[in-house]
């Protein structure tokens, strides 16, 4: 099956392209099987985890999955460069946390993984008063 082959990805930062190398596996006899040839697609970096401290006190611990009003694991290709995300502030200072950068992302991590990369993030934050934010639909 495709799940028994190791996948390696190369990121061409200049061309902004991600390439998955040829995916191969070996059968029980040690014979090499080509499963998938190389595949390339546009790089579109995004942050998978964006969140703030939850309500309920600073000693409350919550997982990033599932995502909630606090944010969390927001793996979605729309959370890339230039995105705006609104989160309610539950604690003094908000206590923002970000991470889990991906080179490219579909609409979620169907098989539990993404194309993880390191990177530098530049962001700006501002506090909006409750009465200046439109209600969520």
């Amino acid at each position: 099956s495709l799940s028994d082959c190791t996948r390696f990805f190369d990121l061409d930062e200049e061309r902004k392209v991600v390439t998955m190398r040829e995916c191969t596996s070996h059968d029980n006899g040690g014979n090499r099987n080509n499963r998938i040839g190389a595949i390339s697609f546009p790089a579109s970096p995004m942050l998978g985890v964006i969140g703030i401290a939850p309500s309920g006190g600073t000693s409350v611990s919550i997982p990033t999955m599932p995502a909630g009003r606090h944010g969390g694991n927001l793996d979605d290709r729309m959370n890339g460069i230039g995105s705006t995300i609104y989160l309610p502030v539950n604690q003094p200072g908000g206590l923002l946390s970000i991470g889990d950068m991906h080179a490219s992302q579909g609409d979620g991590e169907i098989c539990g993984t993404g194309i993880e990369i390191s990177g530098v993030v530049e962001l700006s934050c501002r506090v909006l008063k409750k009465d200046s934010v439109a209600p969520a639909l």
Side-chain angles (χ1 to χ4, degrees):
S1 74
L2 188 57
S3 64
D4 65 357
C5 71
T6 303
R7 293 168 195 83
F8 293 97
F9 295 89
D10 298 306
L11 174 61
D12 184 330
E13 292 184 57
E14 187 174 305
R15 291 183 20 221
K16 297 183 173 39
V17 172
V18 176
T19 300
M20 183 182 83
R21 297 181 199 168
E22 180 180 282
C23 184
T24 60
S25 65
H26 295 84
D27 63 20
N28 291 336
N31 299 313
R32 181 179 162 171
N33 298 313
N34 289 340
R35 301 290 187 177
I36 296 179
I39 299 171
S40 294
F41 46 92
S44 182
M46 52 77 64
L47 291 170
V49 175
I50 305 168
I52 46 90
S55 58
T58 56
S59 64
V60 173
S61 174
I62 57 171
T64 60
M65 289 180 55
R69 288 185 46 80
H70 62 281
N73 193 11
L74 304 176
D75 286 325
D76 184 307
R77 62 187 173 85
M78 303 303 285
N79 291 337
I81 297 169
S83 296
T84 300
I85 298 174
Y86 296 94
L87 297 169
V89 175
N90 299 309
Q91 301 295 333
L95 306 175
L96 177 69
S97 178
I98 61 173
D100 191 27
M101 186 179 281
H102 297 204
S104 190
Q105 177 75 40
D107 291 324
E109 289 178 337
I110 294 173
C111 55
T113 187
I115 303 171
E116 312 291 337
I117 59 172
S118 63
V120 175
V121 176
E122 182 179 322
L123 61 88
S124 62
C125 297
R126 62 183 176 167
V127 175
L128 302 176
K129 298 297 180 189
K130 190 173 187 176
D131 58 352
S132 69
V133 179
L137 300 176

